[in-house]
Structures are given as C-alpha cells and as structure tokens.
Amino acid sequence: MNYQTLRHNCPSWNNYIQHEFVQQLTAGTLAADSFRHYLIQDYLYLIHYTRVMALSVYKSDTLAQMRVGQSGINAMLDLEIGMYLDFCHQWGIPLADVEGAAESAVTIAYSRYILDAAMSGSLAELYAAIAPCLMGYGEIGKRIKDNGFITGNPYQPWIDVFSSDEFQAITAQNEAQIDLLLADASPAQADKFQRLFDTAARMEVNFWQQALDLS
Ligand SMILES: Cc1ncc(C[n+]2csc(CCO)c2C)c(N)n1
C-alpha cells in the first residue's frame, strides 16, 4: 500500500480537490463571507490537528518518527496557526471572534474523527487518516499554479502559500513518510487505511461545502 494507491482508489478525491469552493477561490469569485467562515473553522480545526501531531509522537516506534511529529507540531504552532490568524486579521475578523467562535458540526466531525483514528490506531492508521489533509492542499496549490494564476485575485495570498515551492517540497516529504509507514500492510490493514483515507477525504468535501453554505 502507498499514498498514490489510497488517492487513486478514493471515491471523493476529485470532489475534494476540484470542489466548487476551490474553483471559486481560484477564479476570485468566492464570497468573502464564505472565506471568512472557512478561515475561522480552519483555525479551530488546526488546533485539533496539532493534537493529532502530538499523538503521532506518542505512537512512534523510532526517534526518526518522533522527529517528524515534532517538526509537524512546530510547524503548526510556530507558523500555520499564526498564518491563519493573520489571514483572519487581514479579512477583518477580530481575534476575539476567531477565538470565541463555535465549532461547526462539520469541524467537530472531521477533527474528532482524525483524533479518534490517532488515539485508537497505529501510527500508520493515524497517517492514513491525515493523508488527505497533509497531501490535498499541496495538490490543490499545484493545480492552481499549473492552470495559471489570474490577476487581482483577493485570495492569491492563500493560493501562494499552498502553491509555493517550499510547500510542494513539504508535500513530497510527507508522501515519502506516508509510503514508508504503509509499505508492509496486510490486505486487512490496507482496507483499514483506505477506509480512514476515504472518510477523511469525504470530510474535506464537507469542510469546503460548509463554507459555501455558511453552515
Ligand atoms: C480542513 C483542512 N484540511 C487540510 C488543511 C491543510 N493542512 C492542515 S495542517 C497541514 C500540515 C502542515 O502544513 C496542512 C497541509 C487545512 N488547513 N484544513
């Protein structure tokens, strides 16, 4: 089993990567309130994602695996979450509103799903569950870049992050890490990995959709 197999067999992958939210963001036509809704919910999601990274250290068998988790935690706490707070500021959302926002049902479902996979499963299961999250945004950024940026897109700063060479390099490292962990899966384990991956990808679709629906 490897990442490309998971991705290839996932029924909702294209809907995740090419979701209407992503298309409107790429075209610069996305409603500002949808983007704000996304930013707030993603900030809340990323806090739980950081907890999953912490569990990845706990579930590690080797120091090398622990260090991957450690650098994931550092990236979240030192960069990613701050970046989302900066975006919120730029889009006129007061900090108190971000921090005090209620988690939506979709955010709760997705974040607690990956937390449960992290708590109850192996390190490989944990990575299968977060692989759509880890890998999908890199693919989205690459697609947007390959198709050519439009001028004057208010969402370009977000697109720049995920289409950057740095982020593409991180995505490639993540794929190698996932492939190492999934390599020796039995058929039963491979089924479990695919189920975790497919569910998480389905939740990513719901995550975009909730921003369009403001739900
Ligand atoms: C719902 C949702 N899914 C995926 C990501 C992307 N993402 C979250 S953490 C992480 C790893 C650190 O770079 C990445 C790529 C997101 N922000 N929100």
Side-chain angles (χ1 to χ4, degrees), residues 41 60 70 77 141 160:
Q41 291 303 317
S60 291
Q70 177 189 32
L77 294 178
D160 284 343

Side-chain angles (χ1 to χ4, degrees), residues 80-153:
E80 300 271 337
I81 293 178
M83 181 181 85
Y84 269 80
L85 287 177
D86 288 346
F87 278 136
C88 286
H89 181 69
Q90 283 151 24
W91 283 83
I93 313 166
L95 185 59
D97 288 10
V98 189
E99 290 178 337
E103 284 180 283
S104 70
V106 168
T107 303
I108 294 171
Y110 188 18
S111 61
R112 301 322 190 274
Y113 181 76
I114 57 173
L115 264 172
D116 182 65
M119 286 187 283
S120 61
S122 61
L123 186 67
E125 286 174 23
L126 182 158
Y127 273 95
I130 61 168
C133 165
L134 267 182
M135 301 297 298
Y137 277 45
E139 186 173 335
I140 289 167
K142 184 174 185 322
R143 275 179 63 90
I144 298 175
K145 188 174 186 181
D146 289 351
N147 290 335
F149 301 141
I150 64 157
T151 50
N153 188 343

Side-chain angles (χ1 to χ4, degrees), residues 42 45-46 49 76 80 84 110 133-134 137 167 204 207:
D42 215 43
Y45 167 83
L46 291 175
Y49 178 89
M76 297 312 298
E80 300 271 337
Y84 269 80
Y110 188 18
C133 165
L134 267 182
Y137 277 45
F167 193 78
E204 289 282 3
F207 208 89

Side-chain angles (χ1 to χ4, degrees), residues 3 10 19 23 35 40 45 53-54 61 64-65 67 83 101 107 120 136 144 148-149 154 156 167-168 179 185 210 214:
Y3 168 70
C10 174
H19 193 274
Q23 292 184 25
F35 192 61
I40 293 171
Y45 167 83
M53 281 286 102
D61 290 322
Q65 291 169 346
R67 289 195 181 102
M83 181 181 85
T107 303
S120 61
I144 298 175
F149 301 141
Q156 193 64 40
F167 193 78
Q168 293 300 317
D179 284 356
Q210 70 168 345
L214 302 178

